[in-house]
Amino acid sequence: MALKIAVVGMGYVGLTTAVCLAKLGNDVVGVDKDARKVKMLKGGKLPIYEPGLYDLFRQVVNSEKLVFEESIPRAIENVGVIFICVGTPSLSDGTADLSQVEEVARTISENLDSYRLIVEKSTVPVNTAKWIRRTIELYSKGRSVEFDVASNPEFLREGRAVEDFFHPDRIVIGVDSERAKKLLLELYSPIDTKVLVVDIPTAELIKHASNSFLALKISFINMIADLCDKTGADVKMVADGMGLDKRIGRAFLDAGLGYGGSCFPKDTKALFRIGESYHLDFGLLKAVDVINQGRVERFIEKVKDALWVLKDKVIAVWGLSFKPDTDDIREAPSIRIVRRLLEEGASLRLFDPKAMENVKRVFPPSGRLLYVNDMYEAVDGANALLIVTEWNEFKTADLRKVASYMKTPVVVDGRNIFEPEEVKKHNIFYYSMGRGKSA
Ligand code: UGA
């Protein structure tokens, strides 16, 4: 049976959730207080790039399964389920800022006239649902309001969000009432996967623990990569060897420039703070963050190992988004790398298939900073090529052409996309992460 749903917050998670829930046949209202974003969505444009999302968006908007609103009170008027997908950014000490969640809870409370199921999808600290419940009760000022709060964390990855929505590894549902459980099970019944029904704090913690564990795997392999650089071992082979053990698994053991994006950096810091707030030693997560922060400087050291002096060198950068298949540059290593290279006095030629417009807002083009529309144009006359994001088109680049275009054939590969033997065939000086100091 189709449900009437409001999705509050039209960021990556909210928008994908709204589009995909509408595709499942539900009647969805997407709401965001950012009037500009709502106008854009109403005008048939997506504010983000996400593979496969645009086609689905067109379909569900054309069939009026998905509409958009600026006002939460109007959006929740006739719906049965409200998904909260607003941002939970980091405060300066790493704690999650829950002011947007609280604001939504207040607004819902003031406009509650009959039963609603309120589902938190944003990544939130354990026990946030209790605060949502309390806030709704507080602001209802004695009116009898009927509602449930549930947790249904999102595990989608940017760049694969649509695929992840329809084919997830699992769906986690945290509930404390039969009514909420029934509604959510019904909502997800078209999706064929394991559904884990747990209590609400457990569901909330599954999300934070999963993201922090994946970040931990990445920092662990980056720590090992540093040792490989010192000893001549090959981190890719170390990861392959570890990954063959089914208890470990090969995924998320790719060494390089570390994790970025809007989730891992924020969530590891937030979980560290949560542990601390209960007087627990979560120093392990502090170490994960410290190792990750150190990646850019390790990379810059390699560029210096290759070129010695960076002042007045022309450096090409391939890849600016925090990972491939997205235009998202939040916490992308590229931002810190560009800043450091400019400080060192280098001239940069930047290329990314999708993220250049976003980076231009941070670093407007200038005499020492050019954005080019072709990856080979970027290396033309360059002293070094830096690989910062592992887009597929870079992996299959014509290295003969690259070498012949460059002034000095140096490649510093922050994502280990090439095989050293292959690159050396083209007389390129090749530096990568955790596979010996230089080539
Ligand atoms: C991550 C989780 O994977 C999702 O399950 C979760 O829903 C999402 O956060 C979220 O909380 O919303 P995402 O941030 O889109 O998804 O990106 P990932 O594909 O997980 O990659 C995160 C970062 O780790 C990227 O910067 C990537 O380059 C880096 N990474 C990943 C490595 O450095 N090495 C690896 O082996 C894997």
Side-chain angles (χ1 to χ4, degrees), residues 215-226 256-259 284-298 336:
L216 180 144
K217 278 187 96 175
I218 298 168
S219 279
F220 184 88
I221 201 66
N222 282 328
M223 175 183 80
I224 298 296
D226 285 349
L257 282 162
Y259 56 81
L284 178 63
L285 292 182
K286 185 98 187 161
V288 167
D289 182 45
V290 169
I291 292 170
N292 196 56
Q293 293 287 337
R295 293 302 92 201
V296 164
E297 220 32 61
R298 292 281 301 117
R336 285 170 59 210

Side-chain angles (χ1 to χ4, degrees), residues 13 123 154-159 164 170 207 211 214 218 221-222 250-264 267 322-324 333 390 415:
V13 169
T123 306
E154 184 52 74
F155 298 103
L156 61 82
R157 289 160 291 180
E158 285 180 26
D164 281 350
R170 79 296 206 189
K207 173 64 196 262
N211 271 8
L214 291 169
I218 298 168
I221 201 66
N222 282 328
R250 179 62 177 82
F252 281 70
L253 286 181
D254 289 324
L257 282 162
Y259 56 81
S262 64
C263 306
F264 288 179
D267 293 348
F322 84 96
K323 66 172 192 178
E390 67 278 30
R415 299 290 181 181

Side-chain angles (χ1 to χ4, degrees), residues 373-414:
N373 288 321
D374 177 272
M375 61 197 234
Y376 295 106
E377 192 186 336
V379 295
D380 198 3
N383 293 96
L385 162 63
L386 314 189
I387 315 281
V388 175
T389 315
E390 67 278 30
W391 286 87
N392 265 337
E393 55 203 275
F394 304 155
K395 293 181 185 168
T396 53
D398 180 345
L399 290 173
R400 193 188 47 78
K401 197 161 153 183
V402 169
S404 70
Y405 278 22
M406 293 182 79
K407 180 166 185 157
T408 48
V410 169
V411 173
V412 188
D413 181 356

Side-chain angles (χ1 to χ4, degrees), residues 228-233 298 301-302 305-306 430-439:
C228 289
D229 270 343
K230 302 279 181 204
T231 56
R298 292 281 301 117
E301 275 168 29
K302 284 174 189 283
D305 276 349
Y430 180 62
Y431 297 74
S432 54
M433 307 298 276
R435 294 189 294 169
K437 211 170 166 56
S438 62

Side-chain angles (χ1 to χ4, degrees), residues 299-316:
F299 185 68
I300 297 290
E301 275 168 29
K302 284 174 189 283
V303 183
K304 287 186 174 175
D305 276 349
L307 293 179
W308 187 15
V309 172
L310 304 188
K311 187 167 182 298
D312 297 332
K313 297 296 181 307
V314 176
I315 297 183

Side-chain angles (χ1 to χ4, degrees), residues 53 57 108 151 226 408:
L53 191 62
F57 167 76
I108 291 173
S151 164
D226 285 349
T408 48

